[in-house]
Amino acid sequence: MTLDRRFPSVLEWQEGARRRVPKFAYEFLVGGIGEERGICANRSALQAVELLPHYIGDDFTPELGHSLFGQAFSAPFGVAPFGLDGLIWPRMVQHIAGAARRADIPIVMSSFATTTLEEVRALGGENAWFQLYVLKDREKNRSFVERAARAGYKTLVLTVDIPTVTRRRRDIRNGLSVPPAPNLRTYWEVLKRPAWAIETLRAGRPEFKTLLDYVPEGLSLAELGAYLAEETSCIVTIDRIREIRDLWKGRLIIKGILSETDAKHSFELGADGLWISNHGGRQLDAAPTPVSVLPGIRKAVGREIPIMVDSGVRDGLDVARMMALGADFVFLGRAFIYAVAAMGEKGADHAMFVLTEELRMTLGQIGCRRPSDLPAHLVAASE
């Protein structure tokens, strides 16, 4: 049976991931903060966006190629950053980075990935971007930025929406740590997922490999978690953004924007692009959805600055919906992770293929020649 028959959409990828990944890791992936209303709101808001078809017109074939910051990509979507990836499936980021390069779309490497930023840059090439969480220690921030530049990254994504430590109920109940704290329940969950266990043994236990150079030696798991939580609980002030803008000579994108005020501040501080996100519903259960704020932010900043977006996006139709609302580029996280967890390395290439075909089908169905024409098909814009 072909992959397409077994895993035709993200729904099957997610179910496949659930069946192969231990409960503590799967719940970290799918869970959010509080009552998880933010996750539900992201999906509901996207599903309410309607696209108006124009069936009568000239014959054409949809053109998915799209440029961002002067770089041409094969499609207007990419891979969002996701930490602790190796806990979900070993060598997750490596698999996705290689597939992103083959598919010619961008991938954003998280500071909290379980591989090094140098390895992801080598695998992803010019399509690899680096995402930075600001640390309290300014010298460590400087070192991080300089290291990313030496590795060859041209785009830095500065995430601003993690000012405090969060409490996610699923992770607290599961006693989540990296690696998982050994107890009878953990062993039982691992034994029920033999493929995950075997691959983890081959790859080695998941660690924050990019961060290892920035933490004291000899810390226990509990101490490491407490240290990282303390270091990353940091309000990203205007002065800190200025420091990083002065240090970083490449493209700077500020991620986690949800207000017109923050969007304007980012533009004034020298950002080359804005990334609208509520962190996939994982940080604040009362945060607005990107769908609700995207049109206003686009109007506030005009067309001068590129706007990227994530949170709640699951398939090619959702990519089209976000672009119809005014986004220049769309990023997906969980969709790619589900695919690799369900299918292994080949899942990354399969996800790229399916998302591309879903987007191509959507454009063809509504009579839209290229992604940049999608705003003309937004139902609200036509009323």
Side-chain angles (χ1 to χ4, degrees), residues 93 107-110 115-131 144-156 210 248-251:
V93 167
I107 176 173
V108 187
M109 153 85 181
S110 170
T115 187
T116 65
L117 63 87
E118 289 83 3
E119 184 175 3
V120 172
R121 177 60 176 81
L123 290 167
E126 292 295 318
N127 290 18
W129 301 358
F130 182 65
Q131 177 241 16
F144 239 139
V145 170
E146 292 174 348
R147 180 177 169 187
R150 287 196 303 272
Y153 287 92
K154 302 296 191 299
T155 302
L156 183 72
T210 289
W248 181 254
K249 306 308 178 185
R251 289 184 291 269

Side-chain angles (χ1 to χ4, degrees), residues 238-250:
I238 287 175
D239 285 343
R240 283 182 176 273
I241 294 176
R242 284 185 178 137
E243 288 176 6
I244 291 169
R245 176 68 281 185
D246 290 342
L247 285 170
W248 181 254
K249 306 308 178 185

Side-chain angles (χ1 to χ4, degrees), residues 177-193:
S177 62
V178 181
N183 57 46
L184 289 177
R185 189 174 74 171
T186 302
Y187 286 132
W188 175 241
E189 290 176 9
V190 170
L191 285 173
K192 291 191 296 183
R193 302 291 185 262

Side-chain angles (χ1 to χ4, degrees), residues 264-284:
K264 290 178 179 178
H265 278 324
S266 300
F267 187 42
E268 292 162 359
L269 289 167
D272 298 294
L274 306 177
W275 189 322
I276 296 174
S277 171
N278 66 13
H279 218 89
R282 295 171 69 83
Q283 291 301 116
L284 175 65

